Amino acid sequence: MRNNIILLIVLVLLNGCASITESKNQSMSVSTGDITGAMCTLSNSKGSYYVNSTPGSVMVRNACDQLTVTCTKE
C-alpha cells in the first residue's frame, strides 16, 4: 500500500506542465481556414506573440496556463 502511495505521488509530481528536458519555446502554427491574411495575437502568462498574416507561425514561450488566440481581419 505504501509503495502505491509513493508511486502516485511521483506520478503527480512528474505530470507537471513542463519537463526539465523540454524546450522553453514552441512553434505554433495558426490557420484561419478559407480566410487568409488575418492578424492573430497569441497570449499566455509569459507574453503576447503575433502572426501578422495567416496562415503563419510564431515561437511561443511555454506556460502552464491556457494559450488564448484572437484573430481579426478588416
Side-chain angles (χ1 to χ4, degrees):
M1 180 69 175
R2 183 170 182 236
N3 287 341
N4 289 341
I5 293 172
I6 292 173
L7 179 61
L8 179 62
I9 292 171
V10 169
L11 288 175
V12 168
L13 291 176
L14 290 177
N15 194 24
C17 60
S19 153
I20 294 173
T21 60
E22 290 183 19
S23 173
K24 293 181 180 182
N25 298 313
Q26 181 174 357
S27 178
M28 299 296 294
S29 296
V30 179
S31 176
T32 50
D34 292 338
I35 301 171
T36 59
M39 182 180 168
C40 297
T41 303
L42 294 77
S43 58
N44 62 20
S45 63
K46 299 291 182 173
S48 294
Y49 315 92
Y50 304 96
V51 174
N52 292 324
S53 182
T54 60
S57 61
V58 65
M59 291 298 286
V60 174
R61 183 144 171 110
N62 291 340
C64 292
D65 60 336
Q66 294 182 353
L67 180 68
T68 302
V69 181
T70 305
C71 297
T72 59
K73 182 176 180 180
E74 291 185 21

